[in-house]
Each structure stands twice: as structure tokens, then as C-alpha cells.
Amino acid sequence: MKKIIIAGGGTGGHIFPAIAIANALKKIDSSIEILFVGAKGKMEMEKVPEAGYKIEGLDIAGFNRSSLIKNIGLPIKLIKSFFQVRKIINSFQPAAVIGVGGYSSFPVLKYAQQKNIPTFIHESNSFAGRSNIMLGKNATKVFVASDGMEKFFPAAKIMITGNPVRATIANSTVTREEGVQFFGLDPAKTTVLSIGGSLGAQSINTAIDSGIAAFAKNGLQLIWQTGKPYAARGAEVAVDNKNVWSNTFINKMEYAFAAADVVISRAGAMAIAELCVVKKPVVFVPYPFAAEDHQTVNAQNLVAKHAGIMIKDSEAKDKLVNEIVGLAKDAQLQNELKINIGKLGVKNADEVIARTIIELLNKK
């Protein structure tokens, strides 16, 4: 029986592909035992058990770019996490370790590499994260979403697979009408979906809030995932506006995507992967503080292929609502964006990654 550790997390963009890979591994070989390793207090500690997998939490935190004072305890946490990792790996004895990004993946893969355990990396962004670049040199294989990644990883180790998309989204048969009904909205109206990432997006939320009247005025309705920080205000707005559905988090994203005619989104790699599969016209508002500003790089990549529209985070308050209203009224532009984003969709990345890992392990 093979044992595999999957490490990483922090956001839905790391957790959902990790779960998709785990499910694909189990589908190919049900005897594989999988253990997740994440960061205590982060989203994975809740989402991974919900998906039916065991998870161990590390006392680790990432480098805080916005407040340097918060980084004081970082070296101690890092040292502590290495001891925790050593204990987890030595007792679980994995045949391989897969890293999906997020700061909890670094100590796990680093220790596995020191012990000559095969390590696999999945890099979802078109601009690789620092810890993945450092780990890539000694990885067995590096799975990437896009071409041109030789500037970050050894060319011989790279395999372009695309990003794993949740099966519930990739294989969804939910109709638009079922999606709209799920949110208690009107099938006759154009529906805007706003998803600011699993943790919410301040600039998108404030832009929508200040321009909320424009939705009803233009016959639009809104499905609004606010994230926790804006949840109370979003709920307040939804009470006053019958054309608005608002909640902290959307658990059934397949219904949201089915209902949506146009979408407002951050430009995280996983959000993009899902939007390519569901073929939606999107206005992207990249998160400007992502490592190496990779969300802007991701969004520009799509804009260049006429597969999306981009608005800078700093300009969202002034431009976002007008842009989405304009898109909602322009059927021809919607159609062009749909066709072009759809060309980039990959449905079976999880399966390709899982098969490759199992084949390489069987050769050992």
C-alpha cells in the first residue's frame, strides 16, 4: 500500500486542486493512503476533513508583506514546524510528497528531499512562488499550468498539465435555470457573479457596495461572495435589495457558475482555471499584493488572448461597476470572451498528475 503526503494550503486556490489530486489518486488506486499537512488556523484545517481526508497542522506562518512587525516570531515558528514535519514524515513513512504551494508546503518538501523521498510540485501560477523555485531543483517532477516556466524550473522536470479543477465544477450538469433558482433569483434577469477569492476582496466589495444601485437600475441581479470581513455589510445590502444574494462563501460553486452570465473575479490561478472550464466572460481585478504580483501576470495573459477584461485593484472603485454593466449589455463581447476563455479550459489535469506520479513511483 502506497502512502502519500500532500502539503500546502492557505487559500482555496491551493486547497481545492490538492483535494482534486487526492481524489484522482484514490480513483486510480483506492489502496493509496493520503495524509494532508497544512497550517494551523488556515482554511485547509476545515476544508480537507470535509472532503474526507486526514490532515496534520503545522505551527507555521508566512512572511507578512504588509506588516513587517508581524514577522518577528517567524524564525521560531519555522524551526518548530521543521521538528513537527520530521515527526510526521518519520511516523507516516510516505512513498512520495506532493507540494501544492502555500507556506506549509516548504518545510514538508524540504525534509522529504533531505530524506531522498520523491517530491512532486504543482505550480498553479504563471509566475512561480519563491519556495517552489527553491524546491524545484531537487523535485522529481514539476507540474505547471502554462508554458514558459523554464525560467523558474529545470526544463527536464517540467510537465505542462494545466490546473486541477474541482470535479463538481468540471463535470457539472447544472442548468442556468437551476443555478438561478438555487440563489432564489429571477431567471429572466442577467446575473452577475462576484467572487473575490475564498477570503474575500476588499476593493471588489467596496466597489460593488458603492455602486449597488446601478445593478437594479440596469435590470441586473447579483450573486455576491463577500468573504468574512465584508459579510455583515453584504447581508445588510441583500436585505435592502431583492436582486442581490450575498454570503461569506459559496459552497456550491457549480450552481453559481451555472447561474452567472458575467463574472467579477480575482485572478488567482485556480479561479482562472475554473472560469476557463465553465467558459464565462470575466472582468478580472487582480490582487496587487500577491507574491511577485502574479495575479496581474495571470490576468494580462488572458487579456492578451482576448479571453478576459482587466481592471486594476486601485481603479476598481471608479471603474468596476460601469465595466460590468457595460459587459452585461454587450452580448457580442460576452460571446467573444466566452469562446476565447473556453479554448484555455483543461478538465483532466488532476488525472494526468495522479497517473504520472503513480507511474514514476512504480518505476522506483
Side-chain angles (χ1 to χ4, degrees), residues 1 9 17 34 52 60-61 65 79 81 106 117 124 137 151 191 195 198 211 247 265 289 308 336 353 356 359-360 364:
M1 184 180 69
I34 293 170
I60 191 170
R65 288 178 174 81
I79 292 162
S81 71
F106 182 77
I117 296 166
S124 57
K137 296 181 188 74
K151 54 184 177 285
T191 307
I195 38 173
S198 52
N247 210 322
S265 177
F289 304 109
E336 284 168 22
I353 291 167
T356 307
E359 280 166 18
L360 288 168
K364 282 191 80 64

PDB file of all heavy atoms in Angstrom, residues 1 9 17 34 52 60-61 65 79 81 106 117 124 137 151 191 195 198 211 247 265 289 308 336 353 356 359-360 364:
ATOM      1  N   MET A   1       0.839  -1.206   0.000  1.00  0.00           N
ATOM      2  CA  MET A   1       0.000   0.000   0.000  1.00  0.00           C
ATOM      3  C   MET A   1       0.875   1.257   0.000  1.00  0.00           C
ATOM      4  O   MET A   1       1.753   1.403   0.835  1.00  0.00           O
ATOM      5  CB  MET A   1      -0.897   0.012   1.243  1.00  0.00           C
ATOM      6  CG  MET A   1      -1.861   1.177   1.254  1.00  0.00           C
ATOM      7  SD  MET A   1      -2.915   1.202   2.708  1.00  0.00           S
ATOM      8  CE  MET A   1      -1.737   1.588   3.996  1.00  0.00           C
ATOM      9  N   GLY A   9      -1.493  24.801   1.253  1.00  0.00           N
ATOM     10  CA  GLY A   9      -2.813  25.368   1.538  1.00  0.00           C
ATOM     11  C   GLY A   9      -2.738  26.864   1.737  1.00  0.00           C
ATOM     12  O   GLY A   9      -1.916  27.546   1.154  1.00  0.00           O
ATOM     13  N   PRO A  17      -7.282  22.319  -5.611  1.00  0.00           N
ATOM     14  CA  PRO A  17      -6.528  21.440  -6.508  1.00  0.00           C
ATOM     15  C   PRO A  17      -5.883  20.272  -5.780  1.00  0.00           C
ATOM     16  O   PRO A  17      -5.787  19.166  -6.308  1.00  0.00           O
ATOM     17  CB  PRO A  17      -5.465  22.340  -7.126  1.00  0.00           C
ATOM     18  CG  PRO A  17      -5.559  23.642  -6.461  1.00  0.00           C
ATOM     19  CD  PRO A  17      -6.837  23.703  -5.696  1.00  0.00           C
ATOM     20  N   ILE A  34      -3.649   8.631   1.993  1.00  0.00           N
ATOM     21  CA  ILE A  34      -3.234  10.025   1.819  1.00  0.00           C
ATOM     22  C   ILE A  34      -3.349  10.792   3.132  1.00  0.00           C
ATOM     23  O   ILE A  34      -4.352  10.704   3.840  1.00  0.00           O
ATOM     24  CB  ILE A  34      -4.085  10.704   0.721  1.00  0.00           C
ATOM     25  CG1 ILE A  34      -3.769  10.060  -0.638  1.00  0.00           C
ATOM     26  CG2 ILE A  34      -3.809  12.216   0.655  1.00  0.00           C
ATOM     27  CD1 ILE A  34      -4.690  10.446  -1.762  1.00  0.00           C
ATOM     28  N   GLY A  52     -13.082  14.473   3.406  1.00  0.00           N
ATOM     29  CA  GLY A  52     -12.902  13.084   3.826  1.00  0.00           C
ATOM     30  C   GLY A  52     -11.463  12.636   4.022  1.00  0.00           C
ATOM     31  O   GLY A  52     -11.187  11.441   4.056  1.00  0.00           O
ATOM     32  N   ILE A  60       2.969  27.236  11.713  1.00  0.00           N
ATOM     33  CA  ILE A  60       3.791  27.987  10.756  1.00  0.00           C
ATOM     34  C   ILE A  60       2.990  29.167  10.217  1.00  0.00           C
ATOM     35  O   ILE A  60       1.766  29.126  10.174  1.00  0.00           O
ATOM     36  CB  ILE A  60       4.254  27.062   9.597  1.00  0.00           C
ATOM     37  CG1 ILE A  60       5.311  27.763   8.750  1.00  0.00           C
ATOM     38  CG2 ILE A  60       3.095  26.559   8.759  1.00  0.00           C
ATOM     39  CD1 ILE A  60       5.999  26.866   7.749  1.00  0.00           C
ATOM     40  N   ALA A  61       3.696  30.220   9.859  1.00  0.00           N
ATOM     41  CA  ALA A  61       3.047  31.381   9.250  1.00  0.00           C
ATOM     42  C   ALA A  61       3.906  31.845   8.094  1.00  0.00           C
ATOM     43  O   ALA A  61       5.106  31.605   8.060  1.00  0.00           O
ATOM     44  CB  ALA A  61       2.886  32.493  10.282  1.00  0.00           C
ATOM     45  N   ARG A  65       3.845  40.584   4.138  1.00  0.00           N
ATOM     46  CA  ARG A  65       4.399  41.673   3.330  1.00  0.00           C
ATOM     47  C   ARG A  65       3.879  43.044   3.745  1.00  0.00           C
ATOM     48  O   ARG A  65       4.517  44.058   3.540  1.00  0.00           O
ATOM     49  CB  ARG A  65       4.065  41.452   1.847  1.00  0.00           C
ATOM     50  CG  ARG A  65       4.860  40.321   1.231  1.00  0.00           C
ATOM     51  CD  ARG A  65       4.478  40.091  -0.222  1.00  0.00           C
ATOM     52  NE  ARG A  65       5.364  39.099  -0.830  1.00  0.00           N
ATOM     53  CZ  ARG A  65       5.228  37.802  -0.698  1.00  0.00           C
ATOM     54  NH1 ARG A  65       4.246  37.319   0.033  1.00  0.00           N
ATOM     55  NH2 ARG A  65       6.070  36.968  -1.270  1.00  0.00           N
ATOM     56  N   ILE A  79      11.345  26.964  12.716  1.00  0.00           N
ATOM     57  CA  ILE A  79      12.140  25.910  13.383  1.00  0.00           C
ATOM     58  C   ILE A  79      11.199  24.860  13.989  1.00  0.00           C
ATOM     59  O   ILE A  79      11.390  23.660  13.814  1.00  0.00           O
ATOM     60  CB  ILE A  79      13.086  26.518  14.451  1.00  0.00           C
ATOM     61  CG1 ILE A  79      14.177  27.353  13.751  1.00  0.00           C
ATOM     62  CG2 ILE A  79      13.723  25.430  15.309  1.00  0.00           C
ATOM     63  CD1 ILE A  79      14.889  28.339  14.669  1.00  0.00           C
ATOM     64  N   SER A  81       8.182  24.158  13.099  1.00  0.00           N
ATOM     65  CA  SER A  81       7.496  23.399  12.060  1.00  0.00           C
ATOM     66  C   SER A  81       8.391  22.294  11.492  1.00  0.00           C
ATOM     67  O   SER A  81       7.907  21.227  11.141  1.00  0.00           O
ATOM     68  CB  SER A  81       7.000  24.317  10.947  1.00  0.00           C
ATOM     69  OG  SER A  81       8.071  24.812  10.179  1.00  0.00           O
ATOM     70  N   PHE A 106       6.593  24.173   2.143  1.00  0.00           N
ATOM     71  CA  PHE A 106       8.058  24.265   2.069  1.00  0.00           C
ATOM     72  C   PHE A 106       8.786  23.319   3.043  1.00  0.00           C
ATOM     73  O   PHE A 106       9.602  22.500   2.609  1.00  0.00           O
ATOM     74  CB  PHE A 106       8.532  25.707   2.259  1.00  0.00           C
ATOM     75  CG  PHE A 106      10.023  25.853   2.131  1.00  0.00           C
ATOM     76  CD1 PHE A 106      10.629  25.838   0.878  1.00  0.00           C
ATOM     77  CD2 PHE A 106      10.825  25.964   3.257  1.00  0.00           C
ATOM     78  CE1 PHE A 106      12.009  25.944   0.755  1.00  0.00           C
ATOM     79  CE2 PHE A 106      12.205  26.069   3.145  1.00  0.00           C
ATOM     80  CZ  PHE A 106      12.798  26.056   1.883  1.00  0.00           C
ATOM     81  N   ILE A 117      13.114  11.173  -0.388  1.00  0.00           N
ATOM     82  CA  ILE A 117      11.750  10.732  -0.712  1.00  0.00           C
ATOM     83  C   ILE A 117      11.339  11.505  -1.979  1.00  0.00           C
ATOM     84  O   ILE A 117      11.548  12.725  -2.039  1.00  0.00           O
ATOM     85  CB  ILE A 117      10.771  11.043   0.447  1.00  0.00           C
ATOM     86  CG1 ILE A 117      11.158  10.252   1.707  1.00  0.00           C
ATOM     87  CG2 ILE A 117       9.322  10.753   0.051  1.00  0.00           C
ATOM     88  CD1 ILE A 117      10.479  10.743   2.987  1.00  0.00           C
ATOM     89  N   SER A 124       0.686  26.399  -9.736  1.00  0.00           N
ATOM     90  CA  SER A 124      -0.538  26.788 -10.448  1.00  0.00           C
ATOM     91  C   SER A 124      -0.425  28.112 -11.193  1.00  0.00           C
ATOM     92  O   SER A 124      -1.164  28.364 -12.135  1.00  0.00           O
ATOM     93  CB  SER A 124      -1.704  26.854  -9.457  1.00  0.00           C
ATOM     94  OG  SER A 124      -1.397  27.751  -8.404  1.00  0.00           O
ATOM     95  N   LYS A 137      14.513  22.485  -7.879  1.00  0.00           N
ATOM     96  CA  LYS A 137      15.819  21.925  -8.296  1.00  0.00           C
ATOM     97  C   LYS A 137      15.943  20.447  -7.940  1.00  0.00           C
ATOM     98  O   LYS A 137      16.537  19.663  -8.672  1.00  0.00           O
ATOM     99  CB  LYS A 137      16.961  22.701  -7.623  1.00  0.00           C
ATOM    100  CG  LYS A 137      17.057  24.158  -8.040  1.00  0.00           C
ATOM    101  CD  LYS A 137      18.227  24.850  -7.335  1.00  0.00           C
ATOM    102  CE  LYS A 137      18.253  26.344  -7.560  1.00  0.00           C
ATOM    103  NZ  LYS A 137      17.235  27.068  -6.799  1.00  0.00           N
ATOM    104  N   LYS A 151      12.044  29.401 -16.976  1.00  0.00           N
ATOM    105  CA  LYS A 151      12.806  30.438 -16.249  1.00  0.00           C
ATOM    106  C   LYS A 151      12.759  30.223 -14.736  1.00  0.00           C
ATOM    107  O   LYS A 151      13.503  30.841 -13.999  1.00  0.00           O
ATOM    108  CB  LYS A 151      12.337  31.846 -16.630  1.00  0.00           C
ATOM    109  CG  LYS A 151      10.861  32.126 -16.482  1.00  0.00           C
ATOM    110  CD  LYS A 151      10.553  33.541 -16.993  1.00  0.00           C
ATOM    111  CE  LYS A 151       9.080  33.885 -16.953  1.00  0.00           C
ATOM    112  NZ  LYS A 151       8.290  33.251 -18.013  1.00  0.00           N
ATOM    113  N   THR A 191     -27.499  37.824 -14.800  1.00  0.00           N
ATOM    114  CA  THR A 191     -26.918  37.571 -13.475  1.00  0.00           C
ATOM    115  C   THR A 191     -25.418  37.825 -13.463  1.00  0.00           C
ATOM    116  O   THR A 191     -24.682  37.286 -14.286  1.00  0.00           O
ATOM    117  CB  THR A 191     -27.186  36.106 -13.040  1.00  0.00           C
ATOM    118  OG1 THR A 191     -28.590  35.849 -13.144  1.00  0.00           O
ATOM    119  CG2 THR A 191     -26.741  35.864 -11.603  1.00  0.00           C
ATOM    120  N   ILE A 195     -16.891  36.941  -7.245  1.00  0.00           N
ATOM    121  CA  ILE A 195     -16.139  36.039  -6.366  1.00  0.00           C
ATOM    122  C   ILE A 195     -14.764  36.651  -6.101  1.00  0.00           C
ATOM    123  O   ILE A 195     -13.925  36.688  -6.984  1.00  0.00           O
ATOM    124  CB  ILE A 195     -16.006  34.622  -6.988  1.00  0.00           C
ATOM    125  CG1 ILE A 195     -15.787  34.695  -8.516  1.00  0.00           C
ATOM    126  CG2 ILE A 195     -17.218  33.778  -6.667  1.00  0.00           C
ATOM    127  CD1 ILE A 195     -15.482  33.391  -9.179  1.00  0.00           C
ATOM    128  N   SER A 198     -11.493  32.995  -1.902  1.00  0.00           N
ATOM    129  CA  SER A 198     -12.101  32.362  -0.720  1.00  0.00           C
ATOM    130  C   SER A 198     -12.051  33.256   0.518  1.00  0.00           C
ATOM    131  O   SER A 198     -12.804  33.072   1.459  1.00  0.00           O
ATOM    132  CB  SER A 198     -11.400  31.042  -0.432  1.00  0.00           C
ATOM    133  OG  SER A 198     -10.008  31.234  -0.365  1.00  0.00           O
ATOM    134  N   GLY A 211     -21.637  51.045  -5.708  1.00  0.00           N
ATOM    135  CA  GLY A 211     -22.377  51.142  -6.971  1.00  0.00           C
ATOM    136  C   GLY A 211     -23.583  50.233  -7.054  1.00  0.00           C
ATOM    137  O   GLY A 211     -24.080  49.935  -8.147  1.00  0.00           O
ATOM    138  N   ASN A 247     -23.397  36.177   0.549  1.00  0.00           N
ATOM    139  CA  ASN A 247     -22.947  35.275   1.610  1.00  0.00           C
ATOM    140  C   ASN A 247     -21.429  35.310   1.699  1.00  0.00           C
ATOM    141  O   ASN A 247     -20.745  35.733   0.769  1.00  0.00           O
ATOM    142  CB  ASN A 247     -23.427  33.844   1.352  1.00  0.00           C
ATOM    143  CG  ASN A 247     -23.651  33.089   2.660  1.00  0.00           C
ATOM    144  OD1 ASN A 247     -22.891  33.254   3.615  1.00  0.00           O
ATOM    145  ND2 ASN A 247     -24.684  32.257   2.705  1.00  0.00           N
ATOM    146  N   SER A 265     -14.000  38.663 -10.835  1.00  0.00           N
ATOM    147  CA  SER A 265     -13.152  37.726 -10.093  1.00  0.00           C
ATOM    148  C   SER A 265     -11.750  38.275  -9.867  1.00  0.00           C
ATOM    149  O   SER A 265     -11.255  39.090 -10.650  1.00  0.00           O
ATOM    150  CB  SER A 265     -13.056  36.409 -10.872  1.00  0.00           C
ATOM    151  OG  SER A 265     -12.198  35.483 -10.238  1.00  0.00           O
ATOM    152  N   PHE A 289      -1.196  42.522  -4.091  1.00  0.00           N
ATOM    153  CA  PHE A 289      -0.163  42.147  -3.107  1.00  0.00           C
ATOM    154  C   PHE A 289       0.196  40.664  -3.150  1.00  0.00           C
ATOM    155  O   PHE A 289       0.887  40.159  -2.282  1.00  0.00           O
ATOM    156  CB  PHE A 289      -0.599  42.550  -1.693  1.00  0.00           C
ATOM    157  CG  PHE A 289      -0.925  44.014  -1.583  1.00  0.00           C
ATOM    158  CD1 PHE A 289      -2.236  44.438  -1.414  1.00  0.00           C
ATOM    159  CD2 PHE A 289       0.074  44.972  -1.692  1.00  0.00           C
ATOM    160  CE1 PHE A 289      -2.552  45.790  -1.342  1.00  0.00           C
ATOM    161  CE2 PHE A 289      -0.227  46.326  -1.623  1.00  0.00           C
ATOM    162  CZ  PHE A 289      -1.547  46.738  -1.445  1.00  0.00           C
ATOM    163  N   GLY A 308     -10.471  37.841 -21.551  1.00  0.00           N
ATOM    164  CA  GLY A 308     -10.884  38.465 -20.292  1.00  0.00           C
ATOM    165  C   GLY A 308     -10.637  39.965 -20.336  1.00  0.00           C
ATOM    166  O   GLY A 308      -9.913  40.460 -21.205  1.00  0.00           O
ATOM    167  N   GLU A 336     -17.517  36.610 -27.547  1.00  0.00           N
ATOM    168  CA  GLU A 336     -16.097  36.548 -27.923  1.00  0.00           C
ATOM    169  C   GLU A 336     -15.240  36.094 -26.737  1.00  0.00           C
ATOM    170  O   GLU A 336     -14.370  35.233 -26.866  1.00  0.00           O
ATOM    171  CB  GLU A 336     -15.608  37.933 -28.392  1.00  0.00           C
ATOM    172  CG  GLU A 336     -16.073  38.310 -29.790  1.00  0.00           C
ATOM    173  CD  GLU A 336     -15.810  39.782 -30.095  1.00  0.00           C
ATOM    174  OE1 GLU A 336     -14.927  40.393 -29.450  1.00  0.00           O
ATOM    175  OE2 GLU A 336     -16.504  40.335 -30.981  1.00  0.00           O
ATOM    176  N   ILE A 353      -1.882  14.386 -13.543  1.00  0.00           N
ATOM    177  CA  ILE A 353      -0.898  14.498 -12.457  1.00  0.00           C
ATOM    178  C   ILE A 353      -0.841  13.198 -11.654  1.00  0.00           C
ATOM    179  O   ILE A 353       0.235  12.649 -11.395  1.00  0.00           O
ATOM    180  CB  ILE A 353      -1.235  15.713 -11.546  1.00  0.00           C
ATOM    181  CG1 ILE A 353      -0.992  17.026 -12.305  1.00  0.00           C
ATOM    182  CG2 ILE A 353      -0.420  15.684 -10.240  1.00  0.00           C
ATOM    183  CD1 ILE A 353      -1.575  18.266 -11.628  1.00  0.00           C
ATOM    184  N   THR A 356       0.791  10.278 -13.608  1.00  0.00           N
ATOM    185  CA  THR A 356       2.239  10.472 -13.749  1.00  0.00           C
ATOM    186  C   THR A 356       2.952  10.123 -12.446  1.00  0.00           C
ATOM    187  O   THR A 356       3.996   9.450 -12.459  1.00  0.00           O
ATOM    188  CB  THR A 356       2.543  11.931 -14.167  1.00  0.00           C
ATOM    189  OG1 THR A 356       1.776  12.235 -15.332  1.00  0.00           O
ATOM    190  CG2 THR A 356       4.015  12.140 -14.447  1.00  0.00           C
ATOM    191  N   GLU A 359       2.888   6.292 -11.954  1.00  0.00           N
ATOM    192  CA  GLU A 359       3.817   5.646 -12.907  1.00  0.00           C
ATOM    193  C   GLU A 359       5.265   5.810 -12.471  1.00  0.00           C
ATOM    194  O   GLU A 359       6.066   4.867 -12.504  1.00  0.00           O
ATOM    195  CB  GLU A 359       3.626   6.225 -14.316  1.00  0.00           C
ATOM    196  CG  GLU A 359       2.435   5.631 -15.056  1.00  0.00           C
ATOM    197  CD  GLU A 359       2.049   6.453 -16.289  1.00  0.00           C
ATOM    198  OE1 GLU A 359       2.881   7.261 -16.762  1.00  0.00           O
ATOM    199  OE2 GLU A 359       0.913   6.273 -16.767  1.00  0.00           O
ATOM    200  N   LEU A 360       5.638   7.027 -12.057  1.00  0.00           N
ATOM    201  CA  LEU A 360       7.028   7.275 -11.632  1.00  0.00           C
ATOM    202  C   LEU A 360       7.364   6.508 -10.363  1.00  0.00           C
ATOM    203  O   LEU A 360       8.479   6.021 -10.204  1.00  0.00           O
ATOM    204  CB  LEU A 360       7.269   8.783 -11.462  1.00  0.00           C
ATOM    205  CG  LEU A 360       7.339   9.582 -12.772  1.00  0.00           C
ATOM    206  CD1 LEU A 360       7.278  11.086 -12.501  1.00  0.00           C
ATOM    207  CD2 LEU A 360       8.624   9.256 -13.538  1.00  0.00           C
ATOM    208  N   LYS A 364      10.232   3.032  -9.503  1.00  0.00           N
ATOM    209  CA  LYS A 364      11.319   3.107  -8.496  1.00  0.00           C
ATOM    210  C   LYS A 364      11.688   1.732  -7.952  1.00  0.00           C
ATOM    211  O   LYS A 364      10.840   0.892  -7.747  1.00  0.00           O
ATOM    212  CB  LYS A 364      10.909   4.026  -7.330  1.00  0.00           C
ATOM    213  CG  LYS A 364      11.045   5.512  -7.712  1.00  0.00           C
ATOM    214  CD  LYS A 364      10.914   6.385  -6.519  1.00  0.00           C
ATOM    215  CE  LYS A 364      12.178   6.466  -5.701  1.00  0.00           C
ATOM    216  NZ  LYS A 364      13.316   7.068  -6.391  1.00  0.00           N
TER     217      LYS A 364
END
